[in-house]
Amino acid sequence: MDSRRSKVCGETACGFSASSSDAKERTASMRKLCFVVVLCLLFMSIEVVGGIKANSLAILTDAAHLLTDVGAFAISMLSLWASSLEANPRQSYGFFRIEILGALVSIQLIWLLTGILVYEAVTRLLQETNDNVYGFFMVLVAAFGLVVNIIMIVVLGHDHGHGHGHDHVHTHGHVMGGEAEQLLEKPKEGRNINVQGAYLHVLGDLIQSIGVMIGGGLIWYEPKWKVIDLICTLFFSVIVLGTTIKMIRGILEVLMESTPREIDAKQLEKGLMQIEEVVGVHELHIWAITVGKALVSCPVKIRPEADDDMVLNKVIDYIWREFHISHVTIQIER
């Protein structure tokens, strides 16, 4: 006869709640984004003035890009706030996926603005309407932008790649009718996706500042080479778009509920089958609510004489130890 035990959080069943480490990460991410927004607004004002004085489309391109960055960072901060909201009966997983939607909007803004600027640059090239460009002002503004972008990259990249691991695992779950759900607090790996998006924005600006500085230096040396200003705009627009490819791929994989790339589903199934009491695994599903928050669900068939709780603990321990899956739902079958 199956034992029937359950644990509840308050008056409702335990949900996919945010952990204390999530709250700390959000607070740190918000501070970083606020600091970066202030720097962006300051530098954007300088670029608008400098771009008009230099008559440089490349500098104005960067200024417009910074305006998009500010909007994207605001979306990111809104996403971080929304993801801190607690799960409820209607949104049982909480609001983590708002982070994905915010990042998606941010990337679309980059694509839209880059397309407009590429169109303007191509038009100037074909119609040869580019007037005199002042290389000295280009170099001056780009050099200042280089320093500002390096500061922002250092701020956004701080602690990147260092996990916040735990010496123990906090668990709470329920076992009812042979089914078990285990909530594990997962070590953090890398940046919050919105900070990652901001990092990509700023990285694109840094690359563009370097290009503008080189182009401005050449135009300063030989004013007849003003076409370099437009070529820089086209070339670095392509690079900026390229920085979004990996991120958009990750976003689409989450929205399509694909198995996260860092998790080998076949290896996970093989490992479960190597547990002595397990004789079958079927309907294995692995997906993610947001980047870094993976979930696993599957029925596990065990030997008739095996103990349910013992097998359940072995399965959960294996998935946590080998894959650091944060949320596991296992149904025990005989």
Side-chain angles (χ1 to χ4, degrees):
M1 181 176 181
D2 292 331
S3 60
R4 296 178 178 270
R5 295 170 292 159
S6 66
K7 291 184 180 181
V8 295
C9 305
E11 297 179 355
T12 60
C14 300
F16 198 159
S17 302
S19 66
S20 59
S21 61
D22 288 327
K24 290 179 181 178
E25 182 197 29
R26 277 193 300 271
T27 301
S29 298
M30 288 283 282
R31 283 199 300 264
K32 291 177 181 180
L33 290 173
C34 286
F35 179 75
V36 168
V37 165
V38 172
L39 283 182
C40 277
L41 289 173
L42 174 64
F43 180 49
M44 184 179 68
S45 302
I46 294 172
E47 278 199 319
V48 170
V49 175
I52 293 173
K53 280 189 169 293
N55 192 34
S56 170
L57 179 62
I59 291 179
L60 292 176
T61 296
D62 201 28
H65 195 178
L66 279 174
L67 179 61
T68 305
D69 289 350
V70 171
F73 298 158
I75 292 172
S76 295
M77 288 190 287
L78 175 64
S79 300
L80 286 169
W81 169 79
S83 66
S84 68
L85 300 175
E86 290 295 325
N88 57 55
R90 183 171 177 79
Q91 302 291 339
S92 59
Y93 283 126
F95 296 83
F96 291 105
R97 193 154 286 184
I98 289 180
E99 294 180 279
I100 293 294
L101 299 178
L104 183 60
V105 172
S106 175
I107 288 177
Q108 289 176 328
L109 287 174
I110 294 179
W111 289 358
L112 175 63
L113 186 60
T114 301
I116 293 172
L117 295 168
V118 167
Y119 174 79
E120 178 64 22
V122 170
T123 301
R124 288 193 180 190
L125 280 172
L126 294 177
Q127 298 179 358
E128 298 182 355
T129 57
N130 202 29
D131 298 325
N132 291 331
V133 178
Y134 301 99
F136 172 74
F137 285 109
M138 289 181 66
V139 173
L140 193 63
V141 174
F144 181 77
L146 192 64
V147 174
V148 172
N149 284 316
I150 289 174
I151 293 173
M152 290 192 288
I153 283 177
V154 170
V155 171
L156 293 172
H158 182 61
D159 287 339
H160 174 54
H162 296 276
H164 302 283
H166 303 278
D167 294 329
H168 58 280
V169 179
H170 300 285
T171 66
H172 66 90
H174 63 273
V175 179
M176 186 172 291
E179 297 184 5
E181 183 175 53
Q182 187 74 20
L183 181 63
L184 305 176
E185 187 169 336
K186 178 183 181 295
K188 293 295 174 185
E189 297 177 358
R191 288 180 294 245
N192 174 278
I193 189 172
N194 288 287
V195 175
Q196 182 186 2
Y199 187 89
L200 289 175
H201 277 275
V202 176
L203 184 60
D205 287 334
L206 175 67
I207 294 171
Q208 191 161 327
S209 293
I210 294 172
V212 170
M213 186 165 16
I214 295 172
L218 293 173
I219 295 172
W220 187 12
Y221 175 76
E222 179 51 73
K224 292 182 180 179
W225 295 348
K226 59 186 180 182
V227 71
I228 293 175
D229 180 60
L230 303 180
I231 294 174
C232 283
T233 302
L234 294 173
F235 180 70
F236 290 104
S237 292
V238 172
I239 293 179
V240 168
L241 289 176
T243 61
T244 66
I245 293 176
K246 183 178 179 180
M247 192 175 176
I248 194 69
R249 184 182 66 188
I251 289 171
L252 292 176
E253 286 176 352
V254 170
L255 295 179
M256 291 297 294
E257 297 191 342
S258 304
T259 300
R261 286 178 176 263
E262 66 273 15
I263 298 172
D264 187 335
K266 291 183 178 179
Q267 182 62 37
L268 191 153
E269 183 177 3
K270 181 179 177 181
L272 292 179
M273 289 298 297
Q274 289 176 347
I275 296 175
E276 184 180 355
E277 295 82 2
V278 175
V279 296
V281 175
H282 58 98
E283 295 185 33
L284 174 62
H285 298 288
I286 308 172
W287 72 105
I289 289 298
T290 187
V291 174
K293 288 191 177 295
L295 302 88
V296 171
S297 171
C298 70
V300 174
K301 191 172 183 179
I302 65 174
R303 299 182 186 280
E305 69 277 8
D307 178 78
D308 292 23
D309 288 345
M310 180 186 68
V311 176
L312 181 62
N313 289 333
K314 284 185 177 182
V315 169
I316 290 173
D317 179 67
Y318 167 75
I319 295 175
W320 167 256
R321 185 179 66 252
E322 298 297 328
F323 299 94
H324 291 295
I325 304 295
S326 61
H327 196 280
V328 181
T329 304
I330 304 296
Q331 177 177 320
I332 301 295
E333 298 179 347
R334 294 187 183 278

